[in-house]
Amino acid sequence: MANATKAARQRPHRMKVKMTVSDYVIVILMAVIMLVVFVATLYPFLNSLAISLNYADDTMLGGITIYPRKFTLDNYKNIFTKETIWKAYGITFARTIIGTIGGLLITGSLSFALSRKNLAGRGVYTMLCLIPMYFAGGLIPSYFLIRTLGLTNTFWVYIIPNLVNVWNMILMRSYFQSVPEALEESARIDGANYLTIFWKIYWPVSTPIIATIALYFGVFHWNDWYTTFVYITDSDLKPMTSVLLSIINEASFAERMAAQGADAAVIGQAAQGKAVNVRSITMATMITSIVPIVAIYPFLQRYFIKGIMIGSIKG
């Protein structure tokens, strides 16, 4: 007991810092700013979700905020009852998964090679990668190249041309350069070759940048519609973004015909029994397309900032 009392007396006391009026003002001001940013960021999403779940006739009256006045699932039923939507989702998921894995492997291998200081012609290879990053060949040469390679109207037009992204390569190369050289030297002493060093040393310790680049590749493949617009005419190969865009166009066409006073039979034939308007279907389409990415992002967020900071600072 005496020893405990003595130790308590010898323990330094923590000084309580008294906050001044200016400190309180700054704290309150920061809280207000963060609240405004949070509301401004979240409100558009909640408003879009409310409109997508609201009955079309009621939506036309306006005034929808963050909750639907007349709840309905007709907007989503209109999307998911389409014959092509499930096939389009399959194309999108397959493209995103294969494209992300392939992009990580090819871009990662290129990044590792260019991060080696003893690579012969390293500067030349880097310059050859940077030139097309700033000076693209243009749409027509790109189209003829893809057609000559036989990739038009094939699934692989989504994958092969996008296996290497120069910006992602620069970030990964910078991260690999930040890994202590002692790890590689010890592996070389044990007889490991570069392939072993890449897979068993650099890849496991580079989780932050790998997760970051995987998110970049995944978001690109999930949202890309331009490749389909230029190189794909086969409806069976169109991804979700293109099919959802066609649904919006159909709803917009039916609404324009109704506004112009077209014949009721023609309008019904164009709308095909839809109980939605173009705004409702647009919001439902947007929610449908972003929910998977929003669901995945929290799992990669903790790696995102660290990967970008290390990659950019070292670069």
Side-chain angles (χ1 to χ4, degrees), residues 272-287:
Q272 297 181 352
K274 297 174 186 174
V276 296
N277 59 27
V278 65
R279 189 181 181 198
S280 301
I281 202 70
T282 300
M283 294 305 175
T285 300
M286 185 190 72
I287 296 296

Side-chain angles (χ1 to χ4, degrees), residues 164 195 239:
V164 175
L195 187 62

Side-chain angles (χ1 to χ4, degrees), residues 18-283:
K18 186 177 181 180
M19 294 183 64
T20 62
V21 176
S22 60
D23 293 333
Y24 282 109
V25 171
I26 293 175
V27 170
I28 294 174
L29 183 61
M30 292 177 61
V32 171
I33 292 175
M34 293 302 299
L35 181 62
V36 171
V37 172
F38 175 77
V39 172
T41 304
L42 188 62
Y43 176 78
F45 178 80
L46 295 178
N47 179 253
S48 301
L49 181 61
I51 293 174
S52 70
L53 294 172
N54 198 70
Y55 193 70
D57 290 341
D58 185 70
T59 301
M60 295 296 293
L61 301 177
I64 304 296
T65 55
I66 61 174
Y67 60 91
R69 282 195 302 257
K70 292 185 178 181
F71 182 82
T72 181
L73 293 176
D74 287 342
N75 303 307
Y76 292 95
K77 289 179 182 178
N78 182 273
I79 294 175
F80 289 107
T81 52
K82 295 287 183 180
E83 296 180 359
T84 56
I85 192 67
W86 296 107
K87 183 178 293 186
Y89 263 107
I91 293 292
T92 300
F93 275 108
R95 174 189 177 178
T96 302
I97 294 172
I98 297 174
T100 300
I101 295 176
L104 280 175
L105 294 178
I106 302 301
T107 303
S109 300
L110 177 62
S111 304
F112 176 75
L114 292 179
S115 67
R116 304 301 88 201
K117 296 180 180 179
N118 58 346
L119 175 66
R122 177 188 176 192
V124 176
Y125 298 140
T126 303
M127 186 62 63
L128 291 176
C129 291
L130 291 178
I131 289 176
M133 179 179 176
Y134 293 103
F135 306 99
L139 176 59
I140 295 177
S142 299
Y143 178 81
F144 281 114
L145 174 62
I146 296 297
R147 193 178 69 172
T148 303
L149 294 174
L151 295 177
T152 54
N153 278 322
T154 65
F155 175 79
W156 298 108
V157 74
Y158 297 130
I159 307 300
I160 295 177
N162 300 306
L163 286 175
V164 175
N165 182 284
V166 178
W167 172 248
N168 294 340
M169 181 274 293
I170 293 173
L171 292 177
M172 294 189 77
R173 184 196 65 175
S174 300
Y175 194 99
F176 290 152
Q177 289 175 339
S178 69
V179 177
E181 296 182 1
L183 293 175
E184 179 178 350
E185 293 174 357
S186 61
R188 297 288 293 176
I189 292 174
D190 293 335
N193 55 29
Y194 281 113
L195 187 62
T196 303
I197 293 172
F198 174 64
W199 280 113
K200 294 188 177 182
I201 297 180
Y202 277 79
W203 200 261
V205 302
S206 303
T207 303
I209 195 64
I210 291 173
T212 301
I213 301 305
L215 183 63
Y216 281 171
F217 274 116
V219 171
F220 166 77
H221 283 287
W222 184 267
N223 292 329
D224 179 48
W225 61 271
Y226 182 78
T227 303
T228 305
F229 180 76
V230 176
Y231 303 114
I232 298 294
T233 57
D234 187 354
S235 59
D236 292 336
L237 291 174
K238 291 187 176 181
M240 177 198 63
T241 50
S242 298
V243 173
L244 293 179
L245 181 61
S246 67
I247 295 174
I248 293 176
N249 291 334
E250 288 178 11
S252 178
F253 174 69
E255 190 172 83
R256 286 198 305 270
M257 292 184 68
Q260 294 172 3
D263 183 77
V266 178
I267 296 172
Q269 197 175 40
Q272 297 181 352
K274 297 174 186 174
V276 296
N277 59 27
V278 65
R279 189 181 181 198
S280 301
I281 202 70
T282 300
M283 294 305 175

